[in-house]
Amino acid sequence: MGEVNFDGLIGPTYNDGLAAGVAPSQRAGSTTNPKAAALAGLAKIRLARSLGLVQAVLPPQPRPNLGWLRRLGFTGDDERVLRSAAEGDGMWLRLCSNPSSMWAANAATVAPSSDTRDGRVHIVVANLQHMLHRAQEPEVTHAVLSAIFRDEARFAVHAPLPAVHQLGDEGAANTLRLQVGGRPAVHVFAWGRGAYVRHAAARFPARQTIEASQAQARLLQLDPARVLFPQQHPDGLDGGASHTDVLAVAHGSLLLIHELALRDVGSVLTELRRRLGSALQVALARNADLPLQDAVATSVFGGQFFTCPGGQLGFLVAAETRENAAARGYLDRLVADGHVAQIREVDLRPALRHGGGPASLRLRVTLDERERAALAGRVIVDDALDAALVAWVEKHYRDRLTSDDLADPQLLREVQTALDALTQLLELGSVYAFQR
């Protein structure tokens, strides 16, 4: 079994007017460089591959999203729809031009075949119903993942849960998988609210529900004895950790976690040790040593693990993480305590202007050799595909974009031309509505 990291490619409408009313992403009117952002994302993939990680890609989604704009009451031909949606503060056009599918950690939740009752890889597409700019993604995500994992003898791609308040699902970003030696893996599904469960987060709303997490576990065909459903800590949520992966990350028998990631984290760790044994390694960050605001701002837990030449683990983090003394101290302790042998850095600032670490751009899928061979399309990145993707970005992306440009019909045509070329390059077929 080996991990394949599916990175979300950064789309041609990468802009700062992402989500009106959602700090810090509302900076409508500022200028961005989609080409530089996309190339930075590809450079991250290239670095990860050089560290021995298997990397694959997921295509961006069509933006501006004309289908949604029409559902919101904007009528006429494409040019008129764009012009009408741009009137006033342009909120609807910005929300429907959001390139947020690049954060692939939210795309779906995955269980490897070794963990499921029927021995297939199961994937549940996230409904992302909490935020309008992200709730547009599931339909295309389902089409893309169904195209890649089309071998139904080996894979089961489940449609998103119904997009209702009680079933808010934010994907793999709220899950952890731990495995020690030959013991069965334990899946941790963290949640922030429930239809009938009180939660105390006040500043920011909790997105993941316990009802959705329980439905995920059922659809993934996991043994009920191998799952946990701890609640996210309200203070962590209010501190800006909207997803569990902002404050925790797991790999094999190693868990990196902040004490404000989960409510009553000590009891959760005790239960994990009971199920997994004493070989479970935990690097717990105390708030006194790594303040919550520093953990969130630096995305210190948003790194990707890799295997060093000697077999020890390494950890790839965003370059700015080491600029913070508390985050740097935590990383140094990981090395000193023998949890990882090496810390590597990647500069993602051109691609992640609103924060996030390398792991936020990828969906982890554990596959055996036969399952990997059964993947459809040309999505596993090798040198040839890397070069082709760079050439594709250089040809189709603008190097300057403002929120006003989103109303330009020519941009819409450029995006559709680019995505049509990309699906041909990736051999995925017609996964977008404009292609059908």
Side-chain angles (χ1 to χ4, degrees):
M1 304 287 285
E3 216 173 69
V4 180
N5 296 279
F6 285 80
D7 274 44
L9 294 176
I10 296 167
T13 61
Y14 179 79
N15 69 92
D16 267 338
L18 295 182
V22 180
S25 65
Q26 186 179 358
R27 290 203 296 267
S30 61
T31 301
T32 59
N33 187 334
K35 180 179 291 186
L39 292 175
L42 291 174
K44 176 256 177 177
I45 292 174
R46 196 173 306 119
L47 174 59
R49 289 180 57 232
S50 75
L51 296 173
L53 295 174
V54 179
Q55 291 285 150
V57 291
L58 299 173
Q61 303 212 1
R63 299 291 183 265
N65 189 339
L66 289 177
W68 268 61
L69 288 172
R70 289 193 165 94
R71 289 174 64 183
L72 292 168
F74 297 103
T75 60
D77 60 19
D78 293 351
E79 185 171 351
R80 182 179 176 187
V81 167
L82 293 172
R83 186 172 62 249
S84 299
E87 291 177 354
D89 65 2
M91 176 187 73
W92 293 115
L93 181 56
R94 291 199 305 277
L95 286 170
C96 291
S97 300
N98 193 314
S100 54
S101 64
M102 60 190 264
W103 283 284
N106 298 111
T109 305
V110 183
S113 58
S114 58
D115 299 355
T116 64
R117 287 196 303 272
D118 67 0
R120 293 189 295 170
V121 177
H122 282 259
I123 302 171
V124 180
V125 176
N127 63 25
L128 301 173
Q129 62 85 37
H130 183 77
M131 305 293 290
L132 186 146
H133 66 286
R134 300 222 64 178
Q136 301 171 55
E137 299 172 27
E139 180 180 357
V140 172
T141 300
H142 186 245
V144 169
L145 293 178
S146 296
I148 296 171
F149 298 92
R150 68 181 63 167
D151 184 348
E152 295 183 0
R154 302 187 185 280
F155 310 119
V157 180
H158 300 272
L161 299 174
V164 296
H165 180 72
Q166 293 91 337
L167 294 174
D169 174 17
E170 296 285 312
N174 284 323
T175 66
L176 302 163
R177 179 181 182 271
L178 288 154
Q179 187 169 27
V180 175
R183 290 175 179 247
V186 171
H187 291 253
V188 179
F189 294 84
W191 53 274
R193 62 181 172 89
Y196 311 103
V197 180
R198 183 178 179 183
H199 60 93
R203 184 182 177 201
F204 294 121
R207 303 183 189 184
Q208 183 81 28
T209 68
I210 186 172
E211 292 85 2
S213 295
Q214 291 168 339
Q216 285 177 327
R218 289 191 294 269
L219 289 168
L220 294 171
Q221 294 200 11
L222 297 173
D223 181 348
R226 311 308 303 178
V227 297
L228 289 177
F229 297 100
Q231 186 176 359
Q232 294 167 310
H233 200 296
D235 291 347
L237 290 171
D238 280 342
S242 55
H243 300 109
T244 301
D245 65 355
V246 178
L247 295 177
V249 61
H251 182 87
S253 61
L254 175 61
L255 172 63
L256 314 185
I257 189 167
H258 193 279
E259 67 175 338
L260 296 180
L262 302 172
R263 187 190 287 273
D264 196 5
V265 69
S267 296
V268 175
L269 295 178
T270 297
E271 180 62 18
L272 284 172
R273 290 191 176 98
R274 186 186 72 81
R275 298 192 186 196
L276 292 167
S278 59
L280 175 68
Q281 303 177 66
V282 178
L284 178 65
R286 298 292 182 184
N287 198 53
D289 301 318
L290 176 58
L292 176 63
Q293 62 268 28
D294 291 330
V296 172
T298 62
S299 300
V300 64
F301 293 95
Q304 282 184 251
F305 291 99
F306 61 92
T307 302
C308 301
Q312 312 98 318
L313 282 182
F315 198 45
L316 176 66
V317 300
E320 59 268 30
T321 303
R322 280 198 170 277
E323 298 170 7
N324 178 284
R328 183 171 62 252
Y330 179 72
L331 294 175
D332 289 344
R333 287 195 298 276
L334 292 180
V335 176
D337 293 343
H339 294 304
V340 300
Q342 183 183 148
I343 304 292
R344 293 289 299 270
E345 302 170 9
V346 57
D347 187 1
L348 288 171
R349 278 168 281 206
L352 294 174
R353 289 171 59 137
H354 309 302
S360 63
L361 294 171
R362 64 96 172 92
L363 178 68
R364 283 199 283 189
V365 182
T366 300
L367 304 171
D368 64 28
E369 291 183 4
R370 290 173 297 178
E371 291 160 350
R372 179 174 162 182
L375 295 176
R378 183 191 178 196
V379 293
I380 300 290
V381 181
D382 55 17
D383 290 344
L385 182 56
D386 177 33
L389 289 170
V390 169
W392 171 76
V393 170
E394 293 283 4
K395 177 178 179 179
H396 293 286
Y397 279 51
R398 297 185 180 189
D399 57 15
R400 183 181 186 277
L401 189 73
T402 69
S403 293
D404 292 339
D405 293 329
L406 300 175
D408 180 5
Q410 179 58 32
L411 176 65
L412 175 67
R413 290 189 286 270
E414 290 172 9
V415 170
Q416 291 181 346
T417 298
L419 296 185
D420 195 47
L422 179 63
T423 53
Q424 294 179 52
L425 176 63
L426 300 181
E427 301 174 7
L428 291 178
S430 299
V431 295
Y432 303 125
F434 74 83
Q435 295 176 312
R436 300 191 287 270

